Coordinates of all heavy atoms in Angstrom, one line a residue:
L1042 N 37.3 23.2 13.6 CA 37.6 23.9 14.9 C 39.0 24.5 14.8 O 40.0 23.7 14.5 CB 37.4 23.0 16.0 CG 37.9 23.5 17.4 CD1 36.9 24.6 17.9 CD2 37.9 22.4 18.4
V1043 N 39.2 25.7 15.2 CA 40.5 26.3 15.4 C 40.9 26.3 16.8 O 42.1 25.9 17.1 CB 40.5 27.8 14.8 CG1 41.9 28.4 15.0 CG2 40.1 27.8 13.3
A1044 N 40.1 26.8 17.7 CA 40.4 26.9 19.1 C 39.2 27.1 19.9 O 38.2 27.6 19.4 CB 41.4 28.0 19.4
S1045 N 39.2 26.6 21.1 CA 38.0 26.8 22.0 C 38.5 27.0 23.4 O 39.7 26.7 23.8 CB 37.1 25.5 22.0 OG 37.8 24.4 22.5
I1046 N 37.6 27.6 24.2 CA 38.0 27.9 25.6 C 36.7 27.8 26.5 O 35.6 28.2 26.0 CB 38.6 29.3 25.7 CG1 39.1 29.6 27.2 CG2 37.6 30.4 25.3 CD1 39.9 30.8 27.3
T1047 N 36.8 27.2 27.6 CA 35.7 27.1 28.6 C 35.7 28.3 29.5 O 36.7 29.1 29.5 CB 35.8 25.9 29.4 OG1 36.9 25.9 30.3 CG2 35.9 24.6 28.5
S1048 N 34.6 28.5 30.2 CA 34.5 29.6 31.1 C 35.5 29.5 32.2 O 35.9 30.5 32.9 CB 33.1 29.8 31.7 OG 32.7 28.6 32.3
G1049 N 36.0 28.3 32.5 CA 37.0 28.0 33.5 C 38.4 28.2 33.0 O 39.4 28.1 33.7
G1050 N 38.6 28.5 31.7 CA 39.9 28.8 31.1 C 40.6 27.6 30.4 O 41.7 27.8 30.0
R1051 N 39.9 26.5 30.3 CA 40.6 25.4 29.6 C 40.5 25.6 28.1 O 39.5 26.0 27.6 CB 39.9 24.1 30.0 CG 40.1 23.6 31.4 CD 39.3 22.4 31.7 NE 37.9 22.7 31.8 CZ 36.9 21.9 32.1 NH1 37.2 20.6 32.3 NH2 35.7 22.3 32.2
T1052 N 41.6 25.4 27.4 CA 41.7 25.7 26.0 C 42.0 24.4 25.2 O 42.6 23.4 25.7 CB 42.8 26.7 25.7 OG1 44.1 26.2 26.2 CG2 42.5 28.0 26.4
N1053 N 41.6 24.5 23.9 CA 41.9 23.4 23.0 C 42.2 24.0 21.6 O 41.6 25.0 21.2 CB 40.7 22.5 22.9 CG 40.9 21.3 22.0 OD1 42.0 20.7 22.1 ND2 39.9 21.0 21.2
Y1054 N 43.2 23.5 20.9 CA 43.6 24.0 19.7 C 43.8 22.9 18.6 O 44.1 21.8 18.9 CB 45.0 24.7 19.8 CG 45.1 25.9 20.7 CD1 45.4 25.8 22.0 CD2 44.8 27.2 20.2 CE1 45.4 26.9 22.9 CE2 44.8 28.3 21.0 CZ 45.1 28.1 22.3 OH 45.1 29.2 23.2
A1055 N 43.5 23.3 17.4 CA 43.8 22.4 16.3 C 45.3 22.3 16.1 O 46.1 23.3 16.4 CB 43.2 23.0 15.0
D1056 N 45.8 21.1 15.7 CA 47.2 20.9 15.6 C 47.9 21.9 14.7 O 49.0 22.3 14.9 CB 47.5 19.5 15.1 CG 47.2 18.4 16.1 OD1 47.1 18.8 17.3 OD2 47.1 17.2 15.7
S1057 N 47.2 22.3 13.7 CA 47.7 23.2 12.6 C 48.0 24.6 13.2 O 48.8 25.4 12.5 CB 46.8 23.3 11.4 OG 45.5 23.8 11.8
V1058 N 47.4 25.0 14.3 CA 47.6 26.4 14.8 C 48.3 26.4 16.2 O 48.6 27.5 16.7 CB 46.3 27.1 14.9 CG1 45.5 27.1 13.6 CG2 45.4 26.6 16.0
K1059 N 48.6 25.3 16.7 CA 49.3 25.2 18.0 C 50.6 25.9 18.0 O 51.4 25.7 17.0 CB 49.5 23.8 18.5 CG 48.2 23.1 18.9 CD 48.5 21.7 19.4 CE 47.2 21.0 19.9 NZ 47.4 19.6 20.3
G1060 N 50.9 26.8 18.9 CA 52.1 27.5 19.0 C 52.0 28.8 18.2 O 52.9 29.7 18.4
R1061 N 51.0 29.1 17.4 CA 50.8 30.3 16.7 C 49.6 31.1 17.1 O 49.7 32.3 17.1 CB 50.7 30.0 15.2 CG 51.9 29.3 14.6 CD 51.8 29.1 13.1 NE 50.7 28.4 12.6 CZ 49.7 28.9 11.8 NH1 49.8 30.1 11.4 NH2 48.7 28.1 11.5
F1062 N 48.5 30.4 17.4 CA 47.3 31.1 17.8 C 47.1 31.0 19.3 O 47.4 29.9 19.9 CB 46.1 30.5 17.1 CG 46.1 30.7 15.6 CD1 47.1 31.3 14.9 CD2 44.9 30.4 14.9 CE1 47.0 31.5 13.6 CE2 44.8 30.6 13.5 CZ 45.9 31.1 12.9
T1063 N 46.4 32.0 19.9 CA 46.1 31.9 21.3 C 44.7 32.4 21.5 O 44.3 33.5 21.0 CB 47.0 32.8 22.1 OG1 48.4 32.4 22.0 CG2 46.6 32.8 23.6
I1064 N 43.8 31.6 22.1 CA 42.5 32.0 22.4 C 42.4 32.5 23.8 O 43.0 32.0 24.7 CB 41.5 30.9 22.1 CG1 40.0 31.4 22.2 CG2 41.7 29.7 23.1 CD1 39.0 30.4 21.8
S1065 N 41.6 33.5 24.1 CA 41.4 34.1 25.4 C 40.0 34.6 25.5 O 39.3 34.9 24.5 CB 42.4 35.2 25.7 OG 42.3 36.2 24.8
G1066 N 39.6 34.8 26.8 CA 38.2 35.3 27.0 C 38.2 36.2 28.1 O 39.0 36.2 29.0
D1067 N 37.1 37.0 28.1 CA 36.8 38.0 29.2 C 35.4 37.7 29.7 O 34.5 38.0 29.0 CB 36.9 39.4 28.7 CG 36.8 40.4 29.8 OD1 36.1 40.2 30.8 OD2 37.4 41.5 29.7
N1068 N 35.4 37.0 30.8 CA 34.1 36.5 31.3 C 33.1 37.7 31.7 O 31.9 37.7 31.5 CB 34.2 35.7 32.6 CG 34.8 34.3 32.3 OD1 34.6 33.8 31.2 ND2 35.4 33.7 33.3
A1069 N 33.7 38.8 32.1 CA 32.9 40.0 32.5 C 32.3 40.6 31.3 O 31.2 41.2 31.3 CB 33.8 41.0 33.2
K1070 N 33.0 40.5 30.1 CA 32.5 41.1 28.9 C 31.8 40.1 28.0 O 31.2 40.5 27.0 CB 33.6 41.8 28.1 CG 34.3 42.9 28.8 CD 35.4 43.5 28.0 CE 36.1 44.7 28.7 NZ 37.2 45.3 27.9
N1071 N 31.8 38.8 28.3 CA 31.3 37.8 27.5 C 31.8 37.9 26.1 O 31.1 37.9 25.1 CB 29.8 37.8 27.4 CG 29.1 37.3 28.7 OD1 29.7 36.6 29.5 ND2 27.8 37.6 28.9
T1072 N 33.1 38.1 26.0 CA 33.9 38.3 24.8 C 35.0 37.3 24.7 O 35.7 37.0 25.7 CB 34.4 39.7 24.7 OG1 33.3 40.6 24.7 CG2 35.1 39.9 23.4

């Protein structure tokens, strides 16, 4: 796992990528 995000916006990151990677989502686009 690298990163995850819930439909409510809660995120989780692997320690190796924290501070470097950012996950985001667009609920309207399901992307």
